[in-house]
Amino acid sequence: MTVLTTNTSTTADTTADTSPPVCPVTGRTAPPAARPAAPPITPITPITPITPITPPAAPFTERYLLDPAVNADPYGYLNSLRDHDPVYWSAMHRAWLVTGHAQLMHCLRAPAVSAERVRPLMDAVPEGAREDAERAFGILSRWMVFNDAPQHRRLRQVFQEQFAARSIGRYRAFVERATRAMLTRRAVPGRIGDLVADIARPLPALVFARWLGVPQAHGPSFWYWNARVGDLVLGAAQEEREYRTSLQSLVNLDDYLADLVKQRRADPKDDLISAVLAGGQIGKSVSEEEFVGMLTQMAFAGGETTSNLIVNAVLALLEHPEQLAAVREDPALVSMAVEEAMRFDGPSKMSIRTAARDFDLDGRSVRAEDRLFLVTAAANRDPARFPDPDVFDVRRGSASHLGFGFGAHFCIGAAFARLVAGAVVDVLVREYPGLELLDGQHTWQPSLLNRALTALPVRY
């Protein structure tokens, strides 16, 4: 911009009398003196703007994914990791950390990326507990989640019909009744409670046990065994004693379910086991031993993922009051709120795979036997896929998140989790107008895989 200057006089005392002088004889004012001519205006040469210097980006520093601060709030670090390199070799974790949405989708589609990872779990068992491990890891090897095609497809297809959304929908009325009954007993309006212990943990367990056909009297033992199996599969077991307990719990769970299958063959009921047996594939395309092994996987997964989804969805809504208000105003948004919670802060942070052979991933040479951490928590906030990814928006309207996986290994229990989580969110949003978070720091379970709160104190 050109700047102009003029010579104008200034007066220090702005209160001085500037009126024309008065003649002492006539009392008339004298005519004003002629104003001197102003000097010519001289333009100043424009100053060339200086381009601001952008400071260099801070160097990326890798952090341990189980660092307490990262475990508590992983998203800032995961964003920086993805921005630095969406396919990053971590010497610290001895694995490729895949955080970009496109790169992770490539892995989920690639035949070279294997889900078989029972052997690494076996390798982690302390030497003193190995004698107990052979049968337990034989059971794990029958979990469909640990198998690749064509084995995975053969195992999964016996459950496909029963886990379809239309089949799960038959239990909607039961789930809604169970939700209201449990909230009526445990979540009295105005009372302080823990959403995890009061509803998020026991409700999915109750519903899934009812669906599976586990009698209510057997529930305590059944869910204790499941929790200890979780310690093994999710890496919480560390000491030899903990491994022994987890391995024995898996064997106990397998024995229990094998006996339940025998009972349902003799006396069918209205439950999942009876329905699958009626399909006629057990003993033909899938052995009974394989069927029981897969039931142990269903039992483990049936409660954990859904519990975490309920808690994380309610937490996100309570931390974003404008989104909570939107759902209260339009209950049709409940299902979209559950999907957005899966994307924004889902119940699982990653899954682990192994390279079955050498392959190229985004210009990186992945070698056979390399581990890959498929960090869905980072991919679900990839700005290349989701606008404003760090914003929780119940109207986002996209179910293309990777919270339930993708492709062949898309979570078979997704419809169940959506039904139960949606029922809890719906009742809490519409029937508990005073629901609020209590002040205090939240504690997250230390886990590479799961995103799970230990408690969620609220006032109902």
Side-chain angles (χ1 to χ4, degrees):
M1 180 178 67
T2 303
V3 179
L4 307 181
T5 62
T6 58
N7 289 331
T8 57
S9 59
T10 60
T11 307
D13 183 1
T14 58
T15 63
D17 185 3
T18 57
S19 57
V22 180
C23 176
V25 176
T26 64
R28 293 181 295 178
T29 57
R35 188 185 292 267
I41 297 173
T42 305
I44 295 177
T45 304
I47 299 174
T48 302
I50 299 174
T51 303
I53 299 175
T54 303
F60 173 76
T61 302
E62 185 180 3
R63 300 176 67 181
Y64 183 42
L65 291 174
L66 284 179
D67 176 286
V70 174
N71 186 71
D73 186 6
Y75 297 104
Y77 172 68
L78 292 179
N79 286 346
S80 66
L81 171 60
R82 185 191 57 245
D83 293 344
H84 171 70
D85 190 347
V87 180
Y88 177 80
W89 171 254
S90 169
M92 182 182 296
H93 298 89
R94 300 192 301 279
W96 293 97
L97 307 185
V98 184
T99 51
H101 189 279
Q103 293 83 0
L104 202 148
M105 287 281 283
H106 178 87
C107 289
L108 292 174
R109 291 186 175 110
V113 178
S114 172
E116 197 289 309
R117 54 192 184 281
V118 172
R119 183 167 52 80
L121 286 172
M122 181 78 171
D123 291 343
V125 175
E127 198 64 40
R130 291 288 176 89
E131 62 189 63
D132 300 334
E134 184 174 350
R135 183 181 166 195
F137 282 95
I139 296 167
L140 288 181
S141 71
R142 295 189 280 277
W143 285 22
M144 68 181 80
V145 72
F146 292 147
N147 278 271
D148 298 321
Q151 283 285 89
H152 174 268
R153 188 181 308 112
R154 180 180 65 83
L155 296 171
R156 183 182 175 114
Q157 52 89 25
V158 303
F159 288 101
Q160 201 73 45
E161 177 63 28
Q162 299 307 317
F163 277 87
R166 61 182 176 276
S167 297
I168 296 292
R170 294 175 49 227
Y171 292 89
R172 180 175 300 279
F174 168 72
V175 170
E176 291 173 349
R177 287 197 307 272
T179 300
R180 281 193 170 82
M182 190 169 288
L183 283 169
T184 298
R185 293 195 310 271
R186 301 180 177 217
V188 179
R191 180 175 85 78
I192 290 174
D194 170 18
L195 191 75
V196 174
D198 291 342
I199 188 73
R201 190 172 292 146
L203 181 68
L206 171 72
V207 173
F208 191 80
R210 162 67 180 81
W211 184 34
L212 192 61
V214 176
Q216 189 171 352
H218 300 169
S221 295
F222 182 77
W223 292 112
Y224 171 79
W225 295 328
N226 271 282
R228 300 293 73 78
V229 171
D231 293 341
L232 174 68
V233 175
L234 300 175
Q238 297 294 320
E239 300 177 0
E240 182 178 319
R241 175 183 55 81
E242 294 170 329
Y243 272 101
R244 286 184 181 275
T245 299
S246 292
L247 293 166
Q248 186 58 51
S249 293
L250 180 54
V251 169
N252 291 343
L253 183 63
D254 191 74
D255 285 342
Y256 175 81
L257 288 168
D259 185 61
L260 197 59
V261 169
K262 288 186 177 69
Q263 293 178 40
R264 293 299 177 265
R265 277 199 182 278
D267 183 18
K269 305 287 186 186
D270 179 19
D271 57 32
L272 174 65
I273 291 176
S274 301
V276 174
L277 289 174
Q281 298 184 64
I282 306 305
K284 295 179 180 178
S285 61
V286 169
S287 71
E288 189 154 315
E289 185 181 44
E290 289 175 320
F291 176 48
V292 173
M294 286 190 292
L295 288 174
T296 66
Q297 178 197 331
M298 300 297 178
F300 159 69
E304 181 74 19
T305 299
T306 308
S307 296
N308 296 342
L309 174 55
I310 290 169
V311 176
N312 295 5
V314 173
L315 175 63
L317 285 167
L318 293 178
E319 288 186 329
H320 298 82
E322 74 289 350
Q323 300 299 308
L324 176 60
V327 177
R328 280 184 169 143
E329 183 178 340
D330 181 6
L333 291 174
V334 165
S335 61
M336 293 172 67
V338 170
E339 295 301 323
E340 177 67 346
M342 284 294 300
R343 183 202 68 83
F344 181 76
D345 194 12
S348 173
K349 291 185 286 190
M350 70 170 72
S351 59
I352 298 176
R353 297 288 191 270
T354 305
R357 56 180 180 272
D358 294 356
F359 73 102
D360 180 84
L361 176 59
D362 205 38
R364 311 296 194 280
S365 296
V366 179
R367 302 300 182 195
E369 302 297 326
D370 282 357
R371 287 195 307 169
L372 298 104
F373 288 2
L374 307 187
V375 191
T376 49
N380 280 336
R381 294 202 184 194
D382 189 341
R385 181 63 185 83
F386 302 98
D388 299 321
D390 294 319
V391 174
F392 179 70
D393 181 6
V394 298
R395 291 189 174 89
R396 189 177 293 273
S398 171
S400 62
H401 59 76
L402 298 173
F404 287 120
F406 177 82
H409 283 274
F410 182 82
C411 177
I412 196 170
F416 174 84
R418 284 166 167 152
L419 173 63
V420 179
V424 175
V425 171
D426 183 50
V427 174
L428 285 173
V429 164
R430 291 195 293 113
E431 300 180 17
Y432 288 79
L435 185 68
E436 63 177 353
L437 287 176
L438 296 184
D439 293 336
Q441 188 172 6
H442 298 132
T443 302
W444 297 86
Q445 294 176 10
S447 172
L448 280 176
L449 304 181
N450 276 13
R451 177 78 172 148
L453 274 172
T454 58
L456 185 62
V458 297
R459 185 184 303 278
Y460 295 108

